[in-house]
Amino acid sequence: MKSLHTRIILLGAVLVILAAILGITSRPAIAGNGPSIQSPTELADQGLESIVLFSQLQAQTLPPPANQDPCLHCHIRGEETGLWTPLTRWIVFGTAGLVFVFGLVRTTSALKTRRSWKPIPKRFSAWLEERYEYQEPLAKVLEKPVPDWQRRWWYCLGGLTFFFFFVQGVTGIMLAFYYKPTPEAAYASIQFIESQVYFGRAIRMMHHWSANGMVVMCFAHMLRVFIMGAYKKPRELNWVSGVTLFIMTLAFGFTGYLLPWDQRAFWATTVGSEIAGGIPVIGNLALIFLRVGWDISSLTLSRFYALHVLIIPLITVAMMLAHFIMVRRQGIMKPL
């Protein structure tokens, strides 16, 4: 009992000492002989300071705002920062995911069937062959031996012309996404393509130089055919289709020259249409057809655009198919 009483007395003494210490430290500061009394204005200032300090501490402890998707910036806000980040992410991780899934499917199929894996192109080819039986007639066209004398570079001029036409088609479709065929917006759209669109200037230059290359290669191909006498019987229609394709190539260049709608394009089209107007008998008709009137206007630009992207390409593709079929059937004429 004595030990219990002693412990209680000691605990009480400790509590009294702690209370005394807390009371001393919590007493207001003494200035002079008496306690300092603060005015209501000072108390209000201290309240404002504490509110400001609390708001600053709260702003520091808040998490930073989340980063927005660059794709949303591009399509909604019109910003152009970090546009390649999501595309690169999708390409890298999407490719890795496809490779993983393909490997998993291939391994599972080999374990399940106990057979070697059949490549997907062969599976698709067998699926088409079962339904359309296309391999036999296609083999007659493709599996044709090429003599050594046909492997010289001057026999490749026609193929180079077709290659430049293919480049023209691909780059022209890319440019058509941004080009506006109106007098008010045509030149501005060209400037937008060259200054704002990614790789826009490069694509436009590819379109420009492939057009020049197509004209040069087409002319060189026709010159080679003429020198070697490949226009004679039984290849008369080959020559006719080739001349038509050369005219279509020149028409491509003439109609496309007006589309930028600058001073050079305007006056070059003026001179070219006046040359067409000098044709005997049908000159005025040709001039009015090209200009959609006597003067170059917005209707002229619309007509040239329609001819450049619709009419002339359709005629060119049809004549190319006929030309290729005739060349394939008759073969290339042997050297003189």
Side-chain angles (χ1 to χ4, degrees), residues 225-258:
V225 171
F226 181 78
I227 292 175
M228 293 186 174
Y231 58 89
K232 299 177 182 180
K233 183 182 178 180
R235 297 178 176 82
E236 298 91 344
L237 291 180
N238 293 30
W239 177 257
V240 173
S241 61
V243 172
T244 305
L245 287 173
F246 182 67
I247 294 174
M248 291 298 103
T249 302
L250 297 179
F252 265 121
F254 179 65
T255 54
Y257 210 83
L258 180 65

Side-chain angles (χ1 to χ4, degrees), residues 13-237:
V14 171
L15 293 175
V16 170
I17 294 172
L18 289 175
I21 294 173
L22 292 174
I24 293 173
T25 56
S26 62
R27 291 177 63 185
I30 299 177
N33 295 328
S36 61
I37 301 175
Q38 296 179 346
S39 63
T41 305
E42 295 176 349
L43 292 174
D45 293 339
Q46 290 182 358
L48 293 175
E49 292 177 358
S50 63
I51 292 173
V52 172
L53 180 62
F54 177 75
S55 62
Q56 292 178 353
L57 292 175
Q58 188 178 12
Q60 293 177 359
T61 56
L62 288 176
N67 295 327
Q68 297 183 1
D69 192 352
C71 288
L72 297 179
H73 284 201
C74 173
H75 295 288
I76 297 178
R77 297 189 177 183
E79 299 179 5
E80 297 183 359
T81 55
L83 298 180
W84 295 104
T85 302
L87 178 61
T88 306
R89 188 185 303 126
W90 274 103
I91 291 175
V92 173
F93 292 101
T95 304
L98 290 176
V99 170
F100 174 77
V101 172
F102 176 75
L104 184 63
V105 172
R106 179 174 178 175
T107 304
T108 305
S109 175
L111 292 175
K112 184 177 180 180
T113 60
R114 299 298 179 177
R115 297 177 182 176
S116 60
W117 171 260
K118 188 176 182 180
I120 294 179
K122 291 185 177 180
R123 292 170 183 258
F124 183 70
S125 176
W127 185 83
L128 288 178
E129 174 63 20
E130 184 181 359
R131 287 157 177 79
Y132 299 103
E133 298 180 355
Y134 70 96
Q135 292 184 358
E136 184 178 354
L138 190 62
K140 295 180 180 179
V141 178
L142 298 179
E143 296 178 2
K144 188 174 182 180
V146 180
D148 293 335
W149 58 269
Q150 291 185 8
R151 299 176 183 178
R152 298 171 182 174
W153 64 268
W154 51 81
Y155 290 103
C156 301
L157 298 175
L160 290 174
T161 306
F162 175 74
F163 170 75
F164 283 121
F165 175 75
F166 179 77
V167 174
Q168 285 284 95
V170 174
T171 56
I173 291 173
M174 293 180 180
L175 295 174
F177 280 110
Y178 298 96
Y179 178 74
K180 299 178 182 179
T182 59
E184 296 79 13
Y187 183 75
S189 64
I190 295 296
Q191 298 300 314
F192 177 80
I193 290 172
E194 291 197 346
S195 60
Q196 300 296 327
V197 178
Y198 284 101
F199 305 107
R201 183 186 295 272
I203 293 173
R204 184 167 181 251
M205 289 299 102
M206 289 173 61
H207 193 74
H208 170 76
W209 289 109
S210 62
N212 296 333
M214 184 177 175
V215 173
V216 173
M217 290 297 105
C218 186
F219 178 78
H221 177 60
M222 291 189 64
L223 185 62
R224 195 272 305 170
V225 171
F226 181 78
I227 292 175
M228 293 186 174
Y231 58 89
K232 299 177 182 180
K233 183 182 178 180
R235 297 178 176 82
E236 298 91 344
L237 291 180

Side-chain angles (χ1 to χ4, degrees), residues 272-332:
S273 57
E274 287 180 353
I275 293 175
I279 300 175
V281 183
I282 63 171
N284 290 335
L285 182 62
L287 178 65
I288 294 175
F289 173 78
L290 290 175
R291 295 184 178 180
V292 199
W294 293 104
D295 299 321
I296 295 178
S297 61
S298 60
L299 296 176
T300 311
L301 180 61
S302 300
R303 174 155 297 184
F304 273 51
Y305 182 72
L307 290 172
H308 189 75
V309 303
L310 293 175
I311 308 301
I312 299 177
L314 290 176
I315 298 174
T316 303
V317 170
M319 296 305 298
M320 276 187 174
L321 289 176
H323 193 74
F324 293 159
I325 291 173
M326 288 185 287
V327 171
R328 196 64 178 177
R329 293 290 295 177
Q330 298 173 348
I332 300 176

